[in-house]
Amino acid sequence: MPDPLLTKHGESQCAALAASFPHTSRITHLVASPLRRTILTALLSFPSLVEPPKSLKIITVPELQETSDAPCDTGSAPEVLEQDFGVGQWAGKVDLSRVKEGWNVKSPGSPWSPEPEKVEARAAVSRRFLRELGQEYEERTGEAAHIAVVTHGGLLHFATEDWTGFKKVKGTGWENTEWRSYVFGEGEKKESLVETGESCKRRAGSEIPLTADEERELNASIGGIKE
């Protein structure tokens, strides 16, 4: 099914996340993949943030779309998204300005294709966007930015450069509505996301993330994960 909406089960998972997520009040930005299910996940998981007094707009970022070219992972045309989220109950809550014509063309050679090098390039662009978004906010307000990103299990491995727990059959090591916390590194790692110790401990029982060398070794050992 092309660019499906959330199932009833998916909606219930969002409601559970909305009720249990402990850091909602700290969030300064909502960012999502422009696929319809991720936009809806953001809307339903953070309902208090898209309403007054915060009235955050969900910033859709095409580089955060899922990696494959399967119909379910291929987004809708901008005019369709505008019809779905630009009017009615979601009017004014979703920023689609970055979603341009052709963002959902995943043919070979396209910048949006599932070729590993293209996915890696998109992941790098998304990290840079998030870093600059946070920096702009911090320079303008003098306060720390806390950005909630709603995206896809496959893309998250590329974006975080963390392949721990990857399951080839599922295409990801992430569960639906699972959340983890990251900060940007320093120095040579300033363009990389580093999982916080609290997040590592919560999901893996250890405050020590894998080193860069360990990540490369793990990545290399999982044959074909980027195909």
Side-chain angles (χ1 to χ4, degrees), residues 42-57:
L43 287 165
L44 298 178
S45 298
F46 303 101
S48 64
L49 297 182
V50 298
E51 300 291 348
K54 276 204 167 181
S55 298
L56 297 183
K57 268 195 173 185

Side-chain angles (χ1 to χ4, degrees), residues 66-67 153-155 157 163 166-174 225:
E66 186 57 297
T67 58
L155 187 280
H157 289 290
W163 296 87
F166 179 87
K167 299 177 179 65
K168 191 171 183 179
V169 173
K170 288 178 58 179
T172 183
W174 290 66
I225 58 176

